Amino acid sequence: MATFLLVHGAWHSGRSWDRVVPLLESAGHRVLAPSLTGYGDKAHLLGPEVGLGTHVDDVTGLIEGERLDDVVLVGHSYAGMVVSGVAHRVPERIARLVFLDAMVPEDGEAAVDVLPVTKRLIDVAVDGWRVPPMPEQPPPLGLFGVTDPEDVAWLRSMLSDQPVRCLQEPVRLDDPAARTIPRTHIHCVGAGPAGITRRPVPAGERVRELPTGHDCMITMPVELVGLLLEAA
């Protein structure tokens, strides 16, 4: 049995994994899919002080509080920043990192460094600190790659604003032990918005692809679970 810790991306909540969790559990694994501070059941905690460090603390605290070991730590999108920071806090507890269509930072980088197009979102922040969710686009882009009307409505129901500090705060990756954790990169290679460029994956790190949009946990949960089980 593996322990999967699924970390959602910007604007989303732990509910975004609702189609993935039961499939992993039915395969005999333990699964945790928390909402980060400011999202889902913690949406009332949203504020300008919430940043990347807050979310790294959320996940690190959960791992330590639940005494989790041999964790398959999965970060979607912005959460690539989060899981990278967590891996350098508690490397001894992480069995594998999975970057799911995710930002992959270097030490000292913020989300705006990894994905410069993010600066446009900061420029339109409400009240100077809240970035509204991305607007829905015509198919095939949809809402984060989701195009089915019922799925779009469900996804929209879980979205919250993203604090600017999450995008501007640098991540600290200063524990050499974390660099030995095996990594898997799952790339969503369906239609995507302009201006998104993916960094080359270092040699020796596993790469897999899904022919769908960004929110593959909603559009291709069965196929995603197959790749996660392969990574475990």
Side-chain angles (χ1 to χ4, degrees), residues 19 22 83 113 156 164 172 201:
R19 295 177 180 177
V83 300
D113 301 312
R156 195 183 301 281
V164 164
R172 295 301 170 201
V201 174

Side-chain angles (χ1 to χ4, degrees), residues 90-221:
V90 287
E92 71 283 359
R93 295 182 180 269
I94 310 301
R96 178 172 288 275
L97 283 171
V98 180
F99 292 91
L100 179 57
D101 219 34
M103 299 181 183
V104 185
E106 298 292 339
D107 183 34
E109 287 189 321
V112 293
D113 301 312
V114 180
L115 198 62
V117 71
T118 305
K119 294 176 183 177
R120 300 179 194 171
L121 304 177
I122 295 173
D123 291 340
V124 298
V126 178
D127 300 327
W129 68 269
R130 291 188 295 113
V131 180
M134 304 282 282
E136 184 180 355
Q137 302 292 321
L141 296 178
L143 183 63
F144 297 102
V146 179
T147 56
D148 178 84
E150 291 187 4
D151 287 347
V152 169
W154 177 61
L155 172 57
R156 195 183 301 281
S157 74
M158 74 179 73
L159 299 180
S160 301
D161 289 351
Q162 177 82 352
V164 164
R165 189 171 181 180
C166 294
L167 308 176
Q168 295 178 325
E169 189 173 357
V171 67
R172 295 301 170 201
L173 310 178
D174 52 7
D175 190 332
R179 303 189 184 280
T180 67
I181 300 172
R183 296 182 173 202
T184 293
H185 303 259
I186 300 175
H187 295 163
C188 297
V189 295
I196 305 296
T197 57
R198 213 187 302 274
R199 290 179 168 179
V201 174
E205 297 184 7
R206 181 184 296 167
V207 179
R208 298 291 184 265
E209 295 183 345
L210 286 172
T212 188
H214 187 55
D215 277 6
C216 58
M217 70 286 294
I218 295 174
T219 58
M220 296 189 75

Side-chain angles (χ1 to χ4, degrees), residues 25-121:
E25 289 179 336
S26 67
H29 303 290
R30 183 181 183 186
V31 189
L32 296 91
S35 290
L36 300 172
T37 296
Y39 310 95
D41 60 336
K42 301 183 182 75
H44 62 288
L45 301 176
L46 185 71
E49 73 284 352
V50 173
L52 175 60
T54 310
H55 295 155
V56 172
D57 288 344
D58 287 343
V59 179
T60 303
L62 179 60
I63 291 173
E64 294 179 332
E66 294 289 332
R67 299 181 181 179
L68 305 179
D69 287 302
D70 297 323
V71 175
V72 181
L73 184 57
V74 183
H76 177 240
S77 194
Y78 153 77
M81 305 288 299
V82 179
V83 300
S84 295
V86 171
H88 282 258
R89 291 267 196 95
V90 287
E92 71 283 359
R93 295 182 180 269
I94 310 301
R96 178 172 288 275
L97 283 171
V98 180
F99 292 91
L100 179 57
D101 219 34
M103 299 181 183
V104 185
E106 298 292 339
D107 183 34
E109 287 189 321
V112 293
D113 301 312
V114 180
L115 198 62
V117 71
T118 305
K119 294 176 183 177
R120 300 179 194 171
L121 304 177

Side-chain angles (χ1 to χ4, degrees), residues 1-4 6 20-31 72 74 96 98 184 186 206 208 221-232:
M1 183 182 73
T3 297
F4 288 88
L6 311 176
V20 170
V21 171
L23 297 176
L24 289 173
E25 289 179 336
S26 67
H29 303 290
R30 183 181 183 186
V31 189
V72 181
V74 183
R96 178 172 288 275
V98 180
T184 293
I186 300 175
R206 181 184 296 167
R208 298 291 184 265
V222 173
E223 294 83 354
L224 172 58
V225 165
L227 296 182
L228 294 178
L229 292 175
E230 176 189 300

